[in-house]
């Protein structure tokens, strides 16, 4: 049966650990030797494109990055026909799209693995890199507290799933109206994950081992920028807030960052920040996921 990854909970906890182990393997299996990988980008991204292309190369494959104007999802050609076409040439299709429904439609007709590079509902590839970074820096995710401060968005949901499934504790602080949606909480609960929710960053960060934030305004939300800046006042991760975490706490951010908004330059560029290791781990995590998913019987 073809396996796909649209969200972290498409993996069992033991499978998630296996992916992280493969991400750190010194000699990755050449599961893409002589095989292409289609990387479909409806939404652009520097880290996602570079990490995925290099992960494919390290597994012996040939990455083909495809821009939206080259295929036109549901404009020039249907999502289903694009998927059927790409699987003629490639052993895996990975897509960064606006709508989760596009990925579901790909899965419905694809005979090769479909991998979610980001959609409006989740960002599992980022969460894999986050879990890998926490493991490298703190030894294990299990028993650790990860505090997320900001918009409880797609990044937050995938992060909460990964941390909770690996035995960590999740705390989330968001302004009123920007917290976890009921449907997301129900999905987390089905995976055995029950985050602690708050509207005060100080409550979420207190004693945390990891403090994580994301931009207040994501791609496609530009019209909401002014309103979001007002709503998120007081949610900036600065040294004073980070000081309330554990003494050896690590700061993470999926990037791109806006210094002076969701995080200060002093924190982002400071000694407690691991954002560049986290960015590099996008490649290692992608390599681990592709190595695992392409080796399934």
């Amino acid at each position: 049966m073809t396996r796909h990854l649209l969200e972290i909970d498409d993996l069992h906890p033991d499978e998630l650990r296996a992916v992280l182990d493969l991400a750190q393997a010194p000699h990755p299996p050449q599961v893409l030797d002589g095989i292409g990988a289609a990387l479909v980008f409806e939404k652009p991204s520097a880290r996602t494109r570079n990490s995925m292309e290099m992960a494919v190369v390290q597994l012996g494959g040939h990455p083909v990055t495809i821009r939206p104007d080259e295929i036109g999802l549901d404009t020039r050609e249907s999502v289903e026909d694009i998927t059927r076409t790409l699987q003629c040439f490639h052993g895996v299709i990975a897509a960064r799209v606006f709508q989760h429904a596009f990925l579901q439609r790909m899965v419905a007709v694809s005979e090769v693995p479909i991998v979610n590079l980001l959609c409006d509902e989740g960002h599992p590839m980022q969460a894999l890199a986050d879990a890998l970074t926490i493991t490298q820096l703190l030894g294990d995710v299990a028993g650790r507290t990860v505090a997320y401060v900001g918009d409880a968005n797609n990044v937050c949901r995938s992060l909460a799933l990964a941390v909770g499934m690996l035995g960590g504790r999740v705390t989330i602080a968001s302004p009123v109206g920007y917290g976890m949606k009921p449907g997301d909480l129900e999905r987390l609960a089905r995976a055995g994950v029950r985050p602690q929710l708050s509207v005060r960053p100080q409550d979420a960060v207190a004693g945390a081992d990891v403090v994580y934030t994301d931009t207040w305004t994501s791609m496609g939300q530009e019209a909401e920028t002014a309103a979001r800046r007002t709503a998120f006042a007081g949610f900036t991760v600065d040294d004073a807030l980070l000081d309330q975490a554990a003494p050896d706490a690590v700061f993470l951010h999926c990037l791109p960052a806006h210094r002076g908004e969701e995080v200060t330059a002093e924190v982002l560029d400071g000694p407690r920040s691991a954002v560049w290791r986290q960015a590099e781990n996008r490649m290692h995590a992608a390599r681990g996921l592709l190595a695992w998913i392409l080796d399934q019987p």
Side-chain angles (χ1 to χ4, degrees):
M1 182 179 68
T2 303
R3 292 292 298 271
H4 308 282
L5 183 78
L6 301 194
E7 182 55 291
I8 288 293
D9 57 357
D10 287 337
L11 303 169
H12 299 298
D14 58 336
E15 293 173 336
L16 176 52
R17 294 185 183 94
V19 168
L20 297 178
D21 287 342
L22 280 169
Q24 301 180 87
H27 304 292
Q30 299 297 286
V31 294
L32 281 170
D33 185 22
I35 300 174
L39 310 179
V40 178
F41 283 80
E42 187 182 28
K43 298 177 70 173
S45 171
R47 277 157 295 280
T48 299
R49 176 176 178 177
N50 282 276
S51 63
M52 290 300 298
E53 287 191 358
M54 291 311 302
V56 170
V57 168
Q58 291 167 5
L59 294 172
H62 180 80
V64 177
T65 294
I66 304 165
R67 302 188 312 270
D69 59 297
E70 295 176 300
I71 51 176
L73 292 168
D74 266 359
T75 55
R76 184 169 178 265
E77 199 167 2
S78 73
V79 170
E80 289 79 7
D81 284 355
I82 290 168
T83 304
R84 293 184 181 103
T85 298
L86 293 177
Q87 71 180 8
C88 294
F89 313 116
H90 301 285
V92 61
I93 301 170
R96 181 178 169 95
V97 297
F98 284 96
Q99 299 178 37
H100 184 74
F102 280 7
L103 297 167
Q104 294 174 311
R105 289 167 59 190
M106 288 180 172
V107 166
V109 299
S110 181
E111 297 177 4
V112 302
I114 302 295
V115 175
N116 178 10
L117 299 183
L118 177 139
C119 68
D120 54 345
E121 294 189 11
H123 198 349
M125 300 304 289
Q126 179 65 56
L128 291 175
D130 299 338
L132 179 60
T133 305
I134 294 168
T135 300
Q136 290 173 343
L137 294 175
L138 302 179
D140 200 345
V141 177
R144 299 291 187 173
T145 297
V146 177
Y148 181 95
V149 177
D151 187 7
N153 56 15
N154 49 0
V155 170
C156 180
R157 187 181 87 166
S158 296
L159 173 70
L161 281 169
V163 171
M165 289 170 58
L166 291 170
R169 177 171 173 262
V170 181
T171 62
I172 301 171
S174 305
V176 174
Y178 295 91
M180 276 274 175
K181 299 179 178 65
D184 290 335
L185 290 173
E186 291 170 6
R187 183 161 187 168
L188 291 172
R190 288 195 296 271
V193 183
R194 292 174 173 80
Q196 177 183 318
L197 306 179
S198 173
V199 295
R200 297 184 71 251
Q202 296 80 2
D203 294 340
V205 168
D209 301 290
V210 178
V211 177
Y212 196 120
T213 194
D214 188 11
T215 179
W216 293 341
T217 305
S218 298
M219 190 181 302
Q221 299 174 333
E222 289 80 6
E224 304 174 23
T225 299
R228 284 174 170 266
R229 283 176 179 161
T230 299
F232 283 86
F235 278 76
T236 300
V237 178
D238 55 17
D239 281 325
L241 182 62
L242 197 54
D243 285 345
Q244 298 184 47
D248 60 347
V250 175
F251 173 76
L252 298 180
H253 190 308
C254 59
L255 302 175
H258 300 83
R259 292 168 175 82
E261 289 192 7
E262 74 273 7
V263 62
T264 63
E266 291 75 17
V267 168
L268 187 72
D269 302 315
R272 293 179 283 188
S273 173
V275 298
W276 305 117
R277 178 192 284 254
Q278 181 187 8
E280 179 184 336
N281 276 336
R282 289 290 304 276
M283 174 180 69
H284 302 308
R287 187 179 65 239
L289 184 279
L290 293 175
W292 181 85
I293 208 167
L294 288 165
D295 194 39
Q296 298 307 295

